[in-house]
């Protein structure tokens, strides 16, 4: 029985899957082997020695100290694509909010609610103050063509927009999802120069910090409208404030309010509602749970942000060993020597790497004993060894 601690409210569709598989699950579980979270901030938290993995019921992992987890041999999973439809709908809604001052018009109607029979005439006289452009026929630039970005691009085409996309790391799978009518560009500057609207759909990393800064904004068309469903830090708030004041940016919509954008003129700040739908929370919870259990029960990795995908199915031999380690030379030969010296035959094996780290699964014909595991753990560069079966 595995012990899973939840640190946020998780959809019952996810937690029930754990209960059905005999797991102990809840917010008070001691010494868990896995954490299931949404927005809980794990930075500065001490991890239990037993902790093997963390499942994020959502896409972003900036609330998790990923580097520390990697060094501790803890696999971190997210749920890419599970909330894509919800976030896509939010981006389209944000485009409309950025184009036509619906929020201002609604508040204005409330302000004249006590004018009785005068209201229809006042509406006809005052409505022009809230007019704005149509999105049909305009140009949308999508930065980041992953699960969300591809859906945004395809939907915008159906709304009659010209769509350009930029993503230097686009996967083959993402390319298959993308309409052939989306114009793929090689440089972000092409998006900046050619777009009436720009949708930000990239993960927040060191390379995307302040992706939209004063220089990027200077390339853009006057009156450009920008929608941020990435993270607040992808945009330089000071540069954005100056661009709005100068008229370079017509409207900025962000789903990540902070002390600067919460009341910034020309900015519509939404309280992180991009994935806040029942369907999205259900999908994210189920995906995160299935990934955690596949790792715990079989040692397989799918959608880890810090270790490579690695899948050997269900173990059908006497045992399976999972090893989290650094991506250095002679690791496989070192593992083989330890097992060979112990008289343990390897029947199947896979080794995958991701940057400076790697992961190895070994199916063996004799269940390894503790002394063998301890010898594997002493190999330089090994971070964690686990008997899966």
């Amino acid at each position: 029985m595995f012990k899973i601690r939840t640190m946020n409210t998780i959809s019952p569709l996810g937690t029930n899957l754990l209960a059905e598989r005999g797991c102990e699950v809840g917010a008070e579980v001691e010494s868990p082997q896995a954490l299931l979270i949404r927005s809980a901030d794990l930075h500065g938290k001490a991890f239990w020695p037993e902790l093997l993995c963390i499942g994020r019921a959502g896409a972003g992992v900036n609330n998790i100290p990923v580097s520390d987890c990697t060094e501790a041999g803890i696999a971190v999973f997210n749920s890419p694509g599970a909330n894509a439809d919800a976030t896509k709908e939010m981006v389209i809604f944000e485009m409309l909010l950025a184009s036509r001052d619906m929020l201002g018009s609604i508040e204005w109607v409330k302000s004249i609610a006590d004018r009785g029979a005068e209201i229809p005439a006042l509406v006809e006289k005052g409505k022009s103050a809230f007019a704005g452009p149509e999105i049909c026929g305009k140009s949308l630039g999508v930065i980041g063509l992953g699960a969300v970005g591809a859906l945004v691009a395809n939907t915008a085409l159906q709304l009659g927009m010209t769509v350009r996309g930029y993503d230097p790391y686009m996967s083959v799978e993402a390319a298959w999802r993308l309409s052939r009518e989306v114009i793929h560009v090689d440089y972000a500057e092409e998006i900046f120069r050619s777009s009436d609207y720009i949708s930000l759909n990239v993960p927040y990393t060191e390379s995307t910090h302040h992706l939209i800064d004063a220089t990027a904004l200077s390339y853009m068309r006057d009156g450009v409208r920008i929608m941020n469903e990435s993270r607040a830090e992808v945009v330089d708030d000071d540069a954005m404030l100056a661009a709005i004041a100068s008229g370079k940016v017509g409207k900025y919509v962000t789903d990540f309010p902070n002390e600067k954008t919460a009341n910034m003129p020309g900015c519509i700040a939404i309280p992180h509602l991009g994935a806040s739908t029942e369907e999205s929370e259900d999908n994210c919870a189920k995906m995160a749970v299935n990934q955690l259990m596949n790792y715990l029960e079989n040692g397989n990795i799918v959608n880890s942000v810090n270790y490579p995908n690695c899948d050997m199915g269900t173990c059908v031999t006497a045992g399976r060993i999972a090893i989290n380690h650094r991506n250095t030379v002679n690791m496989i030969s070192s593992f083989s020597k330890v097992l060979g010296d112990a008289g343990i035959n390897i029947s199947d094996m896979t080794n995958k790497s991701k940057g400076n780290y790697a992961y190895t699964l070994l199916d063996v014909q004799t269940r390894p004993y503790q002394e063998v595991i301890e010898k594997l753990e002493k190999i330089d560069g090994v971070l964690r060894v686990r008997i899966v079966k």
Side-chain angles (χ1 to χ4, degrees):
M1 180 180 71
F2 293 104
K3 301 169 72 174
I4 319 291
R5 172 177 280 202
T6 57
M7 298 185 70
N8 296 106
T9 301
I10 304 295
S11 165
L13 291 187
T15 54
N16 289 346
L17 287 175
L18 293 171
E20 290 169 5
R21 295 169 92 150
C23 294
E24 180 184 350
V25 55
E28 305 300 325
V29 170
E30 295 292 336
S31 302
Q33 291 143 306
L35 296 179
L36 183 57
I37 70 170
R38 290 174 60 201
S39 58
D41 188 355
L42 300 185
H43 290 279
K45 305 287 187 183
F47 294 125
W48 297 267
E50 299 86 354
L51 188 64
L52 300 171
C53 52
I54 299 171
R56 163 78 164 92
V61 293
N62 58 312
N63 56 321
I64 302 171
V66 175
S67 295
D68 293 343
C69 291
T70 308
E71 276 295 308
I74 298 170
V76 178
F77 298 89
N78 67 345
S79 309
N83 59 13
D85 283 314
T87 308
K88 169 207 67 179
E89 291 178 4
M90 181 61 75
V91 174
I92 301 302
F93 176 59
E94 290 170 354
M95 273 202 293
L96 296 172
L97 286 180
S99 299
R100 306 171 73 171
D101 190 8
M102 292 178 281
L103 296 177
S105 69
I106 291 168
E107 291 303 312
W108 177 73
V109 169
K110 291 180 181 178
S111 74
I112 63 171
D114 61 348
R115 301 291 289 273
E118 298 179 72
I119 291 176
L122 290 170
V123 165
E124 292 305 313
K125 182 179 180 180
K127 66 181 183 180
S128 61
F130 307 102
E134 298 178 5
I135 61 176
C136 182
K138 302 301 190 301
S139 175
L140 170 67
V142 181
I143 299 180
L145 294 168
V148 175
L151 288 176
V152 169
N154 292 346
T155 302
L157 287 171
Q158 296 174 338
L159 295 173
M161 304 185 80
T162 298
V163 182
R164 292 175 176 83
Y166 169 73
D167 191 336
Y169 308 107
M170 184 168 62
S171 66
V172 173
E173 181 183 353
W176 278 108
R177 290 195 299 262
L178 197 64
S179 168
R180 67 180 63 184
E181 295 180 49
V182 175
I183 303 166
H184 192 267
V185 302
D186 295 325
Y187 302 98
E189 287 81 355
E190 295 181 57
I191 296 290
F192 300 152
R193 296 181 188 279
S194 63
S195 302
D196 301 305
Y197 298 80
I198 296 176
S199 177
L200 305 176
N201 303 104
V202 295
Y204 176 59
T205 64
E206 288 184 11
S207 64
T208 60
H209 179 76
H210 286 184
L211 175 67
I212 305 301
D213 58 9
T215 300
L217 289 162
S218 71
Y219 295 139
M220 296 182 190
R221 295 179 176 180
D222 290 345
V224 65
R225 291 164 166 84
I226 300 173
M227 295 76 64
N228 181 4
E229 277 294 337
S230 291
R231 278 294 183 269
E233 296 82 2
V234 170
V235 174
D236 182 336
D237 292 328
D238 293 329
M240 179 60 70
L241 178 60
I244 292 172
S246 71
K248 172 61 73 172
V249 173
K251 193 72 71 175
Y252 173 49
V253 188
T254 177
D255 203 19
F256 309 95
N258 57 32
E259 67 278 9
K260 293 183 178 179
T261 57
N263 198 35
M264 181 185 289
C267 172
I268 298 173
I270 300 169
H272 201 180
L273 298 180
S276 293
T277 65
E278 291 183 12
E279 295 87 349
S280 173
E281 292 178 8
D282 289 345
N283 291 338
C284 287
K286 289 188 291 184
M287 178 180 283
V289 163
N290 286 330
Q291 290 168 175
L292 286 180
M293 293 309 298
N294 197 10
Y295 185 69
L296 292 172
E297 293 177 338
N298 303 306
N300 297 325
I301 294 179
V302 179
N303 290 330
S304 171
V305 300
N306 59 341
Y307 283 100
N309 283 350
C310 186
D311 192 340
M312 284 181 60
T314 302
C315 180
V316 294
T317 59
R320 173 173 291 177
I321 305 170
I323 308 176
N324 304 64
H325 57 93
R326 293 191 177 89
N327 186 20
T328 55
V329 298
N330 297 325
M331 295 301 279
I332 302 303
S333 59
S334 297
F335 302 156
S336 299
K337 184 177 187 310
V338 169
L339 294 172
D341 290 347
I344 298 175
N345 187 49
I346 300 172
S347 60
D348 197 5
M349 178 189 72
T350 186
N351 168 263
K352 302 292 182 180
S353 63
K354 188 171 188 175
N356 294 324
Y357 296 90
Y359 185 69
T360 299
L361 285 177
L362 302 160
D363 281 0
V364 292
Q365 294 183 340
T366 305
R367 184 173 175 81
Y369 44 91
Q370 187 58 35
E371 183 181 348
V372 173
I373 298 304
E374 291 173 358
K375 288 182 178 180
L376 289 171
E377 290 174 336
K378 290 178 181 177
I379 296 172
D380 187 36
V382 168
L383 303 170
R384 184 188 289 268
V385 180
R386 175 168 67 105
I387 300 176
V388 179
K389 177 185 175 183

